[in-house]
Amino acid sequence: MAVELKTKEHIRGIRKAGRIVAACHKALSKRIAPGVTTQEIDRFVERFMLDRGAIPAQKGYKGYPFATCASVNEVVCHGFPDSEPLEAGDIVTIDMVADVDGWKADSAWTYAIGRTNNAVEKLLLTAEQALVDGIKQAVLGNRLGDIGYAVQTRAERAGFEVVTAFAGHGNGKSVHEFPEVLHSGIRGQGMKLEEGMVITIEPILTAGKADVYITTDGWTARTRDGAWAAQFEHTVAITKAGPIILTRWE
Ligand code: MF3
Ligand code: CO
């Protein structure tokens, strides 16, 4: 299970795709509002990528039928876009992968629709901060367990659980590469981080129990207890100069 280390040239390639993903998320952050459907969001994302010379790489990946995953409220991830209008107070995670010249970049973001209550706000802020904490640990000399530990600690101190059924991953010419990046763990354990690793960190936090199930569509993951879930994901390169967020919003 070899990890493919990337050269500076490769990382530049992934960053090209990452810039499009980031710009697309930024555009979505201004568009997502009550009444918008996830189908409309999906079409917007697909158009946005194609217009910029990128391919929406989730479409067709292992048979997944859409450009985006759109996961509303208690949907944990891999939700199908549909014609249901989003309502004020909902949250939706939009996950997307762009491919430019074969290089992939992957980022998910949870958006609040209109106003949300304080508890939901806290879930979103904590999940985003857990991602930030994880990224800070993505430095040479550390191990994967340091990333997982940082994410898990942030989540649990705020009273949330990490959904451990899903993990981050290596990223490059393929959507999913080695290593698997767990969002829980023990400091100093797991694979050593090396220069040229490109990984995603993508914690999913829930306000309830972390148990999930897959619905009959074969993709949509929901919490068993119906508690809401939030996810923030970046594609990150590990370099001598520290972690570089390749999907950072500009
Ligand atoms: N972007 C997702 C991830 O973070 C990929 C989901 S698989 C798909 O790993 F088929 F839904 F695209
Ligand atoms: Co991912």
Side-chain angles (χ1 to χ4, degrees):
M1 307 308 147
V3 173
E4 262 185 57
L5 299 177
K6 275 74 180 181
T7 65
K8 281 196 172 137
E9 197 62 35
H10 297 160
I11 291 171
R12 263 196 289 278
I14 299 170
R15 186 170 224 170
K16 259 196 198 173
R19 285 215 171 92
I20 293 171
V21 167
C24 189
H25 269 301
K26 195 171 173 183
L28 282 184
S29 72
K30 293 170 189 157
R31 280 181 89 83
I32 293 182
V36 173
T37 72
T38 47
Q39 219 159 54
E40 288 163 353
I41 293 170
D42 188 71
R43 282 198 207 106
F44 175 85
V45 169
E46 181 155 19
R47 196 64 275 147
F48 191 99
M49 288 191 192
L50 293 174
D51 286 349
R52 286 157 185 79
I55 296 163
Q58 289 194 162
K59 201 169 183 170
Y61 179 74
K62 294 187 179 166
Y64 186 77
F66 301 99
T68 61
C69 301
S71 306
V72 178
N73 298 343
E74 70 275 15
V75 177
V76 161
C77 64
H78 304 163
F80 283 4
D82 65 21
S83 58
E84 207 57 47
L86 294 164
E87 289 177 30
D90 285 345
I91 57 172
V92 62
T93 305
I94 304 296
D95 194 352
M96 64 178 82
V97 179
D99 175 324
V100 177
D101 303 328
W103 294 109
K104 318 283 190 290
D106 186 355
S107 177
W109 216 255
T110 301
Y111 299 95
I113 318 304
R115 283 229 179 102
T116 49
N117 65 42
N118 290 341
V120 172
E121 185 74 7
K122 184 180 170 195
L123 174 67
L124 298 189
L125 287 172
T126 308
E128 187 176 350
Q129 192 57 51
L131 168 61
V132 171
D133 291 352
I135 293 170
K136 280 189 192 150
Q137 296 299 320
V139 294
L140 299 181
N142 270 0
R143 291 175 179 269
L144 283 174
D146 294 299
I147 296 176
Y149 176 82
V151 169
Q152 184 180 13
T153 301
R154 172 70 63 176
E156 291 179 356
R157 283 204 182 137
F160 299 122
E161 289 197 5
V162 173
V163 175
T164 50
F166 298 95
H169 48 88
N171 183 90
K173 286 277 182 196
S174 311
V175 176
H176 291 147
E177 298 183 0
F178 291 105
E180 186 180 40
V181 179
L182 300 180
H183 301 110
S184 60
I186 299 170
R187 271 191 281 194
Q189 293 206 355
M191 187 184 287
K192 224 177 176 161
L193 302 182
E194 282 185 68
E195 182 170 20
M197 276 186 177
V198 176
I199 57 171
T200 72
I201 303 176
E202 49 180 304
I204 304 173
L205 270 55
T206 174
K209 290 272 154 230
D211 306 273
V212 302
Y213 68 98
I214 309 294
T215 66
T216 51
D217 66 25
W219 282 97
T220 306
R222 308 174 79 99
T223 57
R224 282 210 181 274
D225 63 7
W228 289 15
Q231 180 178 32
F232 294 85
E233 171 183 29
H234 272 310
T235 298
V236 178
I238 293 163
T239 78
K240 268 194 237 146
I244 301 173
I245 301 172
L246 302 173
T247 46
R248 187 196 279 285
W249 300 21
E250 275 158 30

